[in-house]
Amino acid sequence: MRTAFSDAIVAAAETDSRVLMLTGDHGYALFDPFRKRCPAQYINCGIAEQNMVGVAAGLAKAGFRPVVYGLAAFVPLRVLEQIKIDVCYEDLPVIFVGDGAGFVYSHLGTSHQSTEDIACTRALPGLTVLSPSDRYEVTAAMQLAFESKGPVYLRLGKSDRGDVHTGPVSFAAGELLQVRSGSGRVAVLATGSMVRTAVDIVDGGLVADVWSVPSIKPLDRGALEAICAEAESLIVMEEHSVHGGLGSVIAELVAGLSRPVRVCRIGVNDRFSRYCGTYDYLLREHELDAASVARRIAAFGVAAA
């Protein structure tokens, strides 16, 4: 996924000299190709993330297309006020990239783990929130971000759990992408790293449709309504807090539909990680590994075939 992001940003910068890459003193190996091919369009703003957003806002007002890169624990969380006032309030075309969302920076502890970023960013007016699940969705998300006339937050999980698509895809803002077809009675809606987990569980015997949700905000209400017209149960999966994330988005939209549908929200419960450890360990601790998710789905009343 990171390679797809690097390729997309290099291609965009070579096509358009207004594209600038801003980083807060990290991501060096990731940006080696960018610095080699577009050195004049690379700005290291240092460990001063709030100032970096202000710089990006000024550059956007001057006609540039800044891409602001940071760890998701810092961009957007540390700079939320600056994103709100400097960028969103002015409706500026700045792309924010939060890398390592969720538990990927597992050994670095809570300070570097980000399970609140969707909740924070989707509350900001005018900010598009994208959460791709594999390299193909990353490429499509970058294209959508550069086509946008307003601010965008792109959430990268970095975990690279494997492709969920067999080739390139494209999607419009709000669009859902079906990656597995089942009975239609159960629909799994997942985003980011959890799409791969959803696919694995369905391939393991759960009879359900699987939909990837690369666009958290906006999200196509009509598409969701069409899914709910067939489904009896929705299972929402995300490597993010159950408060304010994709599960909340789905529950809020479903609450307004005329036909009631049961919603099972699978995400991070209201707590921090108890211990440091590997990424796989933290998924198990928070019951987001495939075996734990399958048990939670069964407890909800949806069993595998």
Side-chain angles (χ1 to χ4, degrees), residues 10-134:
V10 169
E14 288 185 327
T15 302
D16 186 350
S17 62
R18 298 175 305 152
V19 173
L20 303 177
M21 184 73 245
L22 281 66
T23 181
D25 205 31
H26 51 249
Y28 295 116
L30 175 64
F31 296 127
D32 279 348
F34 190 97
R35 289 187 293 169
K36 180 178 180 179
R37 294 162 65 175
C38 309
Q41 293 163 257
Y42 177 84
I43 304 173
N44 185 352
C45 292
I47 305 175
E49 290 89 349
Q50 292 96 330
N51 183 65
M52 178 167 60
V53 176
V55 170
L59 290 169
K61 281 194 170 187
F64 292 97
R65 293 302 310 270
V67 179
V68 176
Y69 173 89
L71 305 190
F74 309 137
V75 177
L77 292 183
R78 178 175 290 175
V79 297
L80 194 65
E81 179 187 358
Q82 286 72 30
I83 294 175
K84 172 185 173 181
I85 300 300
D86 294 352
V87 176
C88 291
Y89 185 72
E90 301 283 350
D91 195 28
L92 298 173
V94 178
I95 300 172
F96 298 97
V97 179
D99 198 1
F103 295 116
V104 175
Y105 287 105
S106 54
H107 289 95
L108 298 180
T110 296
S111 64
H112 283 63
Q113 295 164 15
S114 175
T115 59
E116 319 86 355
D117 52 312
I118 293 174
C120 293
T121 52
R122 79 181 188 93
L124 295 180
L127 181 63
T128 295
V129 180
L130 305 177
S131 175
S133 67
D134 68 3

Side-chain angles (χ1 to χ4, degrees), residues 20-300:
L20 303 177
M21 184 73 245
L22 281 66
T23 181
D25 205 31
H26 51 249
Y28 295 116
L30 175 64
F31 296 127
D32 279 348
F34 190 97
R35 289 187 293 169
K36 180 178 180 179
R37 294 162 65 175
C38 309
Q41 293 163 257
Y42 177 84
I43 304 173
N44 185 352
C45 292
I47 305 175
E49 290 89 349
Q50 292 96 330
N51 183 65
M52 178 167 60
V53 176
V55 170
L59 290 169
K61 281 194 170 187
F64 292 97
R65 293 302 310 270
V67 179
V68 176
Y69 173 89
L71 305 190
F74 309 137
V75 177
L77 292 183
R78 178 175 290 175
V79 297
L80 194 65
E81 179 187 358
Q82 286 72 30
I83 294 175
K84 172 185 173 181
I85 300 300
D86 294 352
V87 176
C88 291
Y89 185 72
E90 301 283 350
D91 195 28
L92 298 173
V94 178
I95 300 172
F96 298 97
V97 179
D99 198 1
F103 295 116
V104 175
Y105 287 105
S106 54
H107 289 95
L108 298 180
T110 296
S111 64
H112 283 63
Q113 295 164 15
S114 175
T115 59
E116 319 86 355
D117 52 312
I118 293 174
C120 293
T121 52
R122 79 181 188 93
L124 295 180
L127 181 63
T128 295
V129 180
L130 305 177
S131 175
S133 67
D134 68 3
R135 54 179 170 155
Y136 299 116
E137 288 190 7
V138 168
T139 301
M142 287 298 295
Q143 180 178 348
L144 182 60
F146 278 114
E147 291 173 353
S148 174
K149 292 181 171 33
V152 176
Y153 171 54
L154 176 65
R155 183 183 208 250
L156 291 181
K158 191 184 176 182
S159 56
D160 280 342
R161 307 298 278 183
D163 293 333
V164 299
H165 301 282
T166 57
V169 298
S170 62
F171 61 88
E175 187 175 355
L176 285 72
L177 302 176
Q178 188 170 16
V179 295
R180 287 292 188 277
S181 179
S183 67
R185 295 178 56 200
V186 177
V188 180
L189 293 92
T191 192
S193 63
M194 296 303 289
V195 179
R196 179 72 255 174
T197 303
V199 167
D200 290 344
I201 292 173
V202 167
D203 288 349
L206 179 68
V207 180
D209 296 333
V210 177
W211 296 83
S212 176
V213 187
S215 177
I216 305 290
K217 179 191 174 187
L219 194 149
D220 188 338
R221 180 188 177 95
L224 180 62
E225 190 167 5
I227 293 171
C228 292
E230 300 292 332
E232 297 174 359
S233 301
L234 300 183
I235 299 165
V236 186
M237 297 167 51
E238 59 190 318
E239 192 178 327
H240 182 277
S241 172
V242 294
H243 299 295
L246 176 62
S248 296
V249 175
I250 299 297
E252 290 163 11
L253 292 175
V254 168
L257 300 181
S258 57
R259 181 178 181 271
V261 178
R262 300 170 67 230
V263 179
C264 174
R265 297 184 297 155
I266 296 177
V268 180
N269 291 323
D270 191 23
R271 71 175 183 86
F272 295 111
S273 299
R274 185 171 295 111
Y275 303 108
C276 290
T278 65
Y279 177 59
D280 287 334
Y281 161 75
L282 282 177
L283 291 180
R284 291 194 300 272
E285 180 185 314
H286 290 275
E287 297 184 290
L288 293 180
D289 61 296
S292 298
V293 170
R295 287 195 298 270
R296 293 170 74 173
I297 292 173
F300 183 68

